[in-house]
Amino acid sequence: MERSKDTTSTEQLRASTPPPSSVQPPETPARLKTASLPRFRTDPSLQNKRTELVGGLPKFIGETSVDDYFKHVLPPLPIHLENKVGEVCSILNQNGTYDPTTLRWKQFPQDPKDQSPDEPKVFLPLADIFKAIVQAAQQLDPQLEPNFKLVVDGYVAPVSERGNDSHPDGFFKITDKALSEMRKKCEVLMKKEGWEDVPRASEATHGTTNEPKKSLQLSTNTSEKPKRPPPPPVYEITAPQEFKKANFTQKFDDDIIKLMWNMSRILALDPCRRFTLGFTIEDRSFRLWVLNRGTLLRTKAFDFMKDQRKLVTVLLSFAFSSAENMGWDPTITFSHRDSENRRQYNIIVKERVYKTVKTLSEYSADNPLGRATRVWKVQDAQGKTRVLKDLWLEHDRLEEHKIYENIIQDVENSNSATPESKEDARKAVVDRLLTPLEHCRVKVSGTADDDTNLVILRGYDMKEARTVALMSPSKSNPPEKQSFGFSFPDDQDAKLIAPASQDSGLQVPQRVVHNSLQETEIPNDQRYHYRIVFQEYATTIYDERNLANILTAISDVLSALDLIHSAGWVHRDISGGNLYYHKERKIGLIGDLEYAKKVDDQSHHNVRTGTPYLMASEALGNKYSFYPITPKPPQDSLHFVRSYKRHGPRDNPLGVVTPAPPPFNHNALHDIESVWWVLVYTILFNEDPAGPSQNTSDRQRLMNELFDGQLNNNSRLSFLRDPQFGTCLPSSFSPLEPALQEYARRLTAAFSAAEMNYPIIQPLPTPQLYEDCIGAIYTKPILGAITSVEMTYVKIRAQDVPGSGQKRSGNHLGEPEGSQKKKSR
């Protein structure tokens, strides 16, 4: 097999190399966001997942006044109710719903703490108060119709494709009319573009196979058996609530854990959400919350018995709010369910509509704070297949299409010795990068770009918020002592498998972005909503089954990285999920440039990012590891004695002079190493069914050592220095072992050369390194030996696990333990 004919020699294309920057800002220490790891979904324990999710949140958040929350967060009242809250309160006083003398709601003759039933029954009267408030508003304007209904029922478990692991004590349910209003813009655009089918489906007609829980709001008529209404889907609810009769720290913390879980589930499960609201009640203490992809904010508590006007304002605003003001995104709407009962969407990019075909990646969205990157395979109105990415970028980050343009421009400039070399370099890189086709900053209302601070928080200055601890001090294990690895092939207890995509089901290592917040900072990472459509739809290295095709893709990737690195850029997020093989063009492609950075550019966030399973060894340890150790010897044999007599005890009694460590920065060699780890991962996590491995126990041991997903992995560096696979590989993979050893030898030599003058680091690789690495793995003997190898995943994969809408014995994938039991009280 020969490489693509348009591959250009990198030695011919390189004209000059920019000097490395002498001063670089340090990269931020790591903090794992475990909710985005595959094992998070496979954990059958709901309690474990709740604890893990809350443990990944910042320890301190912002607390604002109720008045500021009303001004900047609470959905605005409809125009017919502006300045009429007082009139609504008067109606409630007159009809006896509220007693202004005793300062008490009729539905609560006693405080919650003085009542004997459990919380769901104690706070059930909130629904009656809500109805009375809505009816009072309708007396002022009979044309008013609520868009949301308050449901207070701790036994209802809203359902989704992942089961029913969300159990709020209460929530607001959107009406079909409000959803239809939100879809109008998308429907108009689809008709304009000539889409053949413009769906007007109702979410209410779609459920899951999970049995609904017993509801407190069912009829108690014993003469006939009441019909059990199906629980609402998560996609129709918002503003979850948690209640406690008592008001002390333990109860408050329990409410927070459950509320954070339920709010996060809404954002994780429904791509149509931009943010979600919520509230907690402990006895009479009422507190409002808001969560978006950049901010978690709560209010000071108020007494919902005494502060009648505040409660009326809250419930009026929720009842008559638009879907958009309650967190929905009108530019992405539910379309239909496919043949496998998976939800598909219509997504607007600029003024064009794309219909999703399948989800390619969504793990990032499980993190409540962060980019929430989702990737779909989509079709346009002409039926052409594209790839669409949706994410929330930091406000000072470049859009991916601009990063792409800057890389191409810098590649041209660094190879501009002749017009021919400039054009050849441009073509070589353009051919090996995913091509941006269309892009936009999402505009939700009017012309303003959707923004976590300027739009969602309506310009609220987080500096005005008070810094408070999210939870009382806990005794949970620190992140470095927690295991974030995924299940391995021979694990006897690994029964649940998280799919990488809807096709392969491979449990793919996921990217982790490490947060730079200090423990006492309020999380306020201002972000804007961004979408980009790529022209090519290609197979990821994880999903490609032909080993020869993978080597072809890797060689093309290394050729492109040579030019990208020489232009002064580093990718910083190399993994098998963003390296591709394009079958039609028979070429390798690089995607996901969102974390790419110019080496000497200090204006960008300098955070460590990457997939822990595939990060370079130095990046995992956040320190350089290949520099020579040359301590300065003592001056003479009596040096210690004289020094002690003159100066007393010394910090360094051996007299060894160790240079101060420089700040660690990701460089080009780390990208090249990540490519190497992609290959190692490929041959360990795949099998040749024609000649499988004869030593699965050795393979299991090696996989456990190298790919445990932890940032303090001590095995990676030693394996890179001396990669020995033993007898764990299938015989057809064996030609790759010496090739990977040669690749590693060349790479470690380059690391040693770059760090020879430590603490001064000179990491720019020579052109020869790329050629040597390509030459090690991409040879005719190797290709001839593996051309016919069609790999299978090592363990049984997701095609053997029933998907949504299918039944299976035991727990459903992602279903918590005891999910069929009543909610814990």
Side-chain angles (χ1 to χ4, degrees), residues 647-816:
H647 306 291
R650 298 183 59 179
D651 292 334
N652 195 351
L654 295 179
V656 176
V657 178
T658 304
F664 178 79
N665 287 285
H666 190 105
N667 61 52
L669 293 174
H670 299 127
D671 280 353
I672 301 173
E673 184 185 339
S674 288
V675 173
W676 186 81
W677 284 113
V678 169
L679 283 172
V680 173
Y681 179 92
T682 298
I683 64 174
L684 284 180
F685 279 80
N686 288 281
E687 186 75 272
D688 181 359
S693 170
Q694 300 301 308
N695 197 335
T696 57
S697 59
D698 277 1
R699 179 178 60 196
Q700 176 71 66
R701 174 191 54 77
L702 194 55
M703 294 166 75
N704 289 346
E705 288 180 0
L706 300 179
F707 300 102
D708 62 0
Q710 298 190 56
L711 293 173
N712 59 347
N713 186 301
N714 296 319
S715 301
R716 297 284 285 273
L717 183 60
S718 59
F719 187 80
L720 176 65
R721 292 181 184 272
D722 184 23
Q724 298 293 330
F725 294 90
T727 60
C728 68
L729 297 179
S731 57
S732 59
F733 291 6
S734 58
L736 277 176
E737 182 172 0
L740 286 170
Q741 289 170 342
E742 177 64 13
Y743 186 135
R745 187 178 69 82
R746 300 280 185 171
L747 179 59
T748 53
F751 272 119
S752 297
E755 299 171 20
M756 183 180 299
N757 297 318
Y758 183 89
I760 298 173
I761 310 297
Q762 297 174 309
L764 191 64
T766 64
Q768 189 61 43
L769 176 62
Y770 301 91
E771 294 296 328
D772 290 343
C773 291
I774 293 172
I777 62 172
Y778 199 79
T779 66
K780 288 183 178 180
I782 292 177
L783 293 174
I786 66 171
T787 298
S788 60
V789 175
E790 293 292 330
M791 301 182 299
T792 59
Y793 298 119
V794 167
K795 72 182 299 179
I796 297 174
R797 291 295 160 178
Q799 55 264 33
D800 300 298
V801 178
S804 178
Q806 296 175 282
K807 294 183 179 180
R808 59 171 293 173
S809 60
N811 285 346
H812 186 273
L813 181 63
E815 184 178 331

